[in-house]
Amino acid sequence: MSQPLLIYNTLTRQKELFRPLHEGRVGMYVCGPTVYGDAHLGHARPAITFDVVFRYLQHIGYKVRYVRNITDVGHLEHDADEGEDKIAKKARLEQLEPMEVAQYYTNRFHQAMDALNVLPPSIEPHASGHIIEQIGLVKEILDHGYAYESNGSIYFDIEKYNRDHRYGRLSNRNLEDVINASRELSGVGEKHNQVDFALWKKAEPQHIMRWPSPWSDGFPGWHCECTAMGRKYLGNHFDIHGGGMDLVFPHHECEIAQAVASQGDDMVRYWMHNNMITINGQKMGKSLGNFITLQEFFTGANANLDEAYSPMTIRFFILQAHYRSTVDFSNEALKASRKGLERLIDGLTQLDRVQATPGGTLTADYAATLQQKCYDAMNDDFNTPIVISHLFEACHTVNQLADGKATVTAEGLDALRRVFNTFFSDILGLRTEQSGSGEREAAFGHAVDLLLQIRSQAKANKDWATSDKIRDELQALGFEVKDTKDGATWKLSK
Ligand code: ZN
């Protein structure tokens, strides 16, 4: 690859040349889900964005340790009325152990990630399994004088920190703005300053998820887990920390403060953030009634959806925008994405059928140019929509080859197939099956193929009754059967 990889760093607000701290190895940490409910479109975007980063870094030769956590300790984002953490609240309402709730939604999250073809991270640490590390972090910050104890809880002293280091570097705000913007939150009476955040919170008597600490029986503040687990698995300094843009402030800003207060310098080299998804121009939220879970997308079981959308349509929809752009969901946009993906899949299928011609007009140069353009786009801060547009353009050429309007050499054809497969499957992580994913769907596809084989045997034997019956019944079940000169193909109509 001739072009170096450029990554936009939220901290410096510019694209920077990517240089890993250790040659040939990359450490990457991405904030994972809080497991008290089903994952929605907002979870799919960071998962897919950083899946492509993970795939691409590996593709260009790095050994990547990718850490994505599970937040299973209800953090301080309390319900204002009850002051109860969300996992514990769900557990109480459903009469379950809090860990049963967390496990249930972790399993559901994994299922959705599998369907979206998101690779599992190298390490998936749970916040509840790293209380000791979080207590260790809080102790260090206390020892260095950047935190104080108040009534069994420990708070980060932002004013003191801001005097020695600047608070607000990542989100580009100064402390005064933060003070002016801060609302009164629970526990404000114990804090020296309303902007101070909790590192450790003493548990109220009714609080179920609690652990012993030198200060009180309680639980860690939300920001602690990522600093503690990132450091444990990736070291004091690592390359990439990612997440959604909504995490820049306060979560990641507080992570930076915790890292500097505990170890004296920044832990993270490149901060990467994906932009948000809106629904018909509105922010997504339970209270707005436009909240759609991933499982609902896959089954169509939500009043906001005209129909079900396959996981690959969702993945393609997300990759059609650059990760730093906003994406607006609508049924029309998803239908357009499905069409676009079908065009690419059609190109791949046709490419399989194209035959090479000795002395063909298209040579390996064509594929080499296409490949270079795709790498250039990826190297420009992972510009997936540009990669997709190059593949679309190449589909036009593939169509010409399939229609006999152009010819290609054997070498040229091999090279073109390789470029398509590399970018479509390995880097963008797309699959050709539209109906879903997994073994069940694959078995289902093979069964339809088998029926069509029996049908073609029947046709060869001039058994028209059997042949027509298979076609008609498949059509009645919603399959579109198309006869070609090489046999029959099928797809699910709709
Ligand atoms: Zn985090």
Side-chain angles (χ1 to χ4, degrees), residues 48 82 116 174 198 206 212 334 347 385 413 475:
I48 291 170
E82 287 165 280
L116 291 167
N174 58 46
Q206 76 274 16
L334 270 188
L413 184 58
Q475 255 157 13

Side-chain angles (χ1 to χ4, degrees), residues 48 80 94 130 132 155 193 246 271 291 396 433 452:
I48 291 170
E94 297 181 11
H130 296 78
I132 290 168
Y155 292 97
N193 190 320
D246 53 335
W271 283 93
F291 192 83
H396 183 68
E433 67 264 36
L452 288 178

Side-chain angles (χ1 to χ4, degrees), residues 31 226 251 255:
C31 295
C226 294
H251 185 47
E255 276 192 47

Side-chain angles (χ1 to χ4, degrees), residues 166-175 177-178 181 249 253:
R166 193 167 90 71
Y167 180 75
R169 282 187 287 136
L170 185 70
S171 58
N172 202 18
R173 9 187 135 195
N174 58 46
L175 186 55
D177 299 338
V178 180
F249 187 88
E253 198 69 80

Side-chain angles (χ1 to χ4, degrees), residues 9-29:
N9 190 346
T10 312
L11 189 63
T12 58
R13 282 168 276 283
Q14 58 189 12
K15 284 184 198 169
E16 290 178 29
L17 186 64
F18 180 64
R19 272 201 222 99
L21 294 164
H22 306 281
E23 208 185 313
R25 286 192 286 136
V26 176
M28 175 163 93
Y29 188 99

Side-chain angles (χ1 to χ4, degrees), residues 9 40 72 112 122 129 176 179 227 229 270 325 354 365-366 381 392 395 452 463 480:
N9 190 346
H40 52 74
D72 59 351
S122 326
E176 224 162 88
I179 291 170
T227 306
M229 298 190 291
Y270 305 89
S325 312
V354 168
D365 288 351
Y366 175 77
D381 194 28
F392 274 150
C395 280
L452 288 178
D463 177 2
E480 231 173 76

Side-chain angles (χ1 to χ4, degrees), residues 54-105:
F54 182 39
R55 287 167 179 271
Y56 190 62
L57 290 171
Q58 292 185 100
H59 175 77
I60 60 177
Y62 292 111
K63 194 168 170 5
V64 185
R65 182 179 295 165
Y66 174 20
V67 181
R68 189 187 63 207
N69 67 304
I70 295 278
T71 296
D72 59 351
V73 176
H75 51 70
L76 288 175
E77 213 183 288
H78 280 148
D79 280 9
D81 50 342
E82 287 165 280
E84 188 174 7
D85 88 50
K86 288 178 177 175
I87 293 174
K89 182 180 176 190
K90 193 117 196 168
R92 182 172 55 76
L93 294 177
E94 297 181 11
Q95 295 193 310
L96 297 167
E97 265 296 313
M99 280 302 143
E100 254 179 310
V101 175
Q103 188 65 56
Y104 175 79
Y105 287 110

